[in-house]
Structures are given as C-alpha cells and as structure tokens.
C-alpha cells in the first residue's frame, strides 16, 4: 500500500465553498472550547497556587474541564472539514450547555449575565446545527443520500 493510499480521508470532502452557517457553528464551538480551556486552567492554577478547601478536588476539576474542552475542539475540526460525524459532538456540547446556563441564571451577581450569554450561544448553536444548510453541508439528510444504490 502506498503512502498516498494510507493517508486518504475516509470520506471525501464536500465540493463548493463552506456555508457561512457551518463556519459560524464552528466558531461558536471554538468559543466554547476556549472558554472551557480558560475555566479549566483557572481551576487548575487556583488548585495549585490558591487556597481552596480541597486542592486535590480543584486540580481534578480543572483537569476534567480541560479534557472536556477536547470535545468542542474535535467538533470544530470536523465541522471545518465537513465531516458528518462532527454533528454529534457539536450537538452534545450545546445540550450540555443548556443546564449549565440554567444553573447560572438561578445564581446571583455575575452568574446571571454569564448564564444569558451561555444560553444564547447554546441556542444559536442548536439552531445552526439543525438548519438544513448545515445538515446538507455535512452530508446528512435526504438531499445528501448516496446515489450508488436504491
């Protein structure tokens, strides 16, 4: 097997320019990933340098949030490459954000504006994910069926 055969993608890239909705969705997922990385980094640093009640719990929480940031990063890569599998991780991210937004909205102080922003981002992500242009660009749905057999 030659090296060009080994590196061939499993699904051919879609033809034509990437729809703006798909790019916007990838940008939202990237924003969520960066936010998770920042929050995880903050928890990790505060667990190491701060005075939390439980340093081990703060460090574990920080590492967990950093690992969770990999899911939206994976979705961003797949969305930009127009891979149909990327819809799953992107959908999971948006659905997971909604209860977090609700919890923030029930808090006080800066939690309320953060909850509003997170809810808006999650709802916008869901709208973009479920839009027919996005599903068609990802090769999902009736218009994207394989024409090799009936």
């Amino acid at each position: 097997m030659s090296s060009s055969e080994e590196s061939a993608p499993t699904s051919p890239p879609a033809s034509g320019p990437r729809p703006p909705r798909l790019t916007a969705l990838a940008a939202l997922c990237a924003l969520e990933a960066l936010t998770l990385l920042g929050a995880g980094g903050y928890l990790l640093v505060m667990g190491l340098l701060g005075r939390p009640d439980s340093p081990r719990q703060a460090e574990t929480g920080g590492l967990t949030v950093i690992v969770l940031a990999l899911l939206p990063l994976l979705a961003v890569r797949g969305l930009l490459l127009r891979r149909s599998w990327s819809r799953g991780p992107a959908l999971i991210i948006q659905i997971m954000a909604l209860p977090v937004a609700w919890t923030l909205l029930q808090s006080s102080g800066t939690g309320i504006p953060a909850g509003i922003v997170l809810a808006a981002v999650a709802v916008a992500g869901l709208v973009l994910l479920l839009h027919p242009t996005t599903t068609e660009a990802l090769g999902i749905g009736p218009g994207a069926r394989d024409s090799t057999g009936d």
Side-chain angles (χ1 to χ4, degrees), residues 63-83:
L63 288 173
T64 302
V65 173
I66 289 171
V67 170
L68 280 174
L70 295 176
L71 186 63
L73 287 175
L74 183 68
V76 168
R77 177 165 163 60
L79 290 168
L80 291 176
L81 294 174
R82 298 171 112 180
R83 302 293 189 245

Side-chain angles (χ1 to χ4, degrees), residues 40-147:
Y42 175 79
L43 287 172
L44 189 60
V45 168
M46 292 313 291
L48 293 171
L49 303 176
R51 295 181 185 224
D53 292 337
S54 172
R56 179 178 287 166
Q57 187 176 12
E59 293 161 12
T60 302
L63 288 173
T64 302
V65 173
I66 289 171
V67 170
L68 280 174
L70 295 176
L71 186 63
L73 287 175
L74 183 68
V76 168
R77 177 165 163 60
L79 290 168
L80 291 176
L81 294 174
R82 298 171 112 180
R83 302 293 189 245
S84 61
W85 58 261
S86 63
R87 187 177 185 204
L91 188 61
I92 290 168
I93 296 160
Q94 307 318 315
I95 291 172
M96 286 174 50
L98 290 174
V100 175
W102 179 257
T103 302
L104 288 170
L105 288 169
Q106 302 303 310
S107 67
S108 60
T110 60
I112 293 173
I116 292 170
V117 170
L118 182 57
V121 168
V123 169
L126 286 170
V127 168
L128 289 170
L129 258 172
L130 301 175
H131 194 276
T133 305
T134 305
T135 56
E136 184 180 321
L138 293 174
I140 302 169
R145 298 229 168 146
D146 191 293
S147 61

